[in-house]
Amino acid sequence: QVQLVESGGGLVQPGGSLRLSCAASGSIFSIYGMGWYRQAPGKQRELGAAITSGGITNYADSVKGRFIISRDNTKNTVYLQMNSLKPEDTAVYYCKAEIRTVLVSRGAYWGQGTQVTVSS
């Protein structure tokens, strides 16, 4: 069994910063790609940022230059540093990881989501 637990969401003023964390735990053999997705009310879930096991990153155009994704492989944790936040960044942010366990060669796992609200 694998769990992804996110933390760090909250309310922030426009122009402010937040740092999200997502820790994976359970019967993990190895973790491949990790990423942060977000879903605003009435919209589809979209990719915000992703990072490979080797540290190669990919960002949506809407967050490029403002968000930084990183990971600590020793802690099975992925981070999202969000700077210069805008009201349109308001969404539920979900962590996703592709994980190899003893039973599953490669499966996609999701966190429960954390709310980020950017408002004055």
Side-chain angles (χ1 to χ4, degrees):
Q1 189 75 7
V2 172
Q3 281 190 319
L4 299 181
V5 179
E6 299 133 337
S7 60
L11 173 65
V12 64
Q13 292 187 341
S17 298
L18 281 176
R19 189 189 192 212
L20 305 183
S21 300
C22 172
S25 62
S27 303
I28 297 170
F29 187 81
S30 61
I31 301 178
Y32 302 104
M34 304 183 83
W36 288 95
Y37 289 70
R38 64 186 186 180
Q39 187 167 18
K43 295 189 176 181
Q44 289 190 332
R45 191 174 298 187
E46 63 178 11
L47 173 68
I51 185 167
T52 68
S53 57
I56 297 173
T57 58
N58 180 43
Y59 296 93
D61 288 342
S62 58
V63 307
K64 202 171 293 182
R66 300 186 298 120
F67 291 9
I68 301 172
I69 188 170
S70 61
R71 63 190 284 173
D72 184 338
N73 292 330
T74 66
K75 297 180 179 180
N76 291 338
T77 299
V78 63
Y79 306 96
L80 186 67
Q81 177 66 43
M82 303 186 294
N83 302 318
S84 302
L85 282 161
K86 305 175 181 180
E88 50 264 43
D89 294 317
T90 296
V92 178
Y93 283 70
Y94 297 91
C95 168
K96 178 185 177 183
E98 295 185 346
I99 296 174
R100 177 182 176 185
T101 68
V102 174
L103 298 178
V104 179
S105 61
R106 188 164 185 152
Y109 298 86
W110 291 87
Q112 80 285 358
T114 185
Q115 177 70 46
V116 172
T117 302
V118 184
S119 175
S120 55

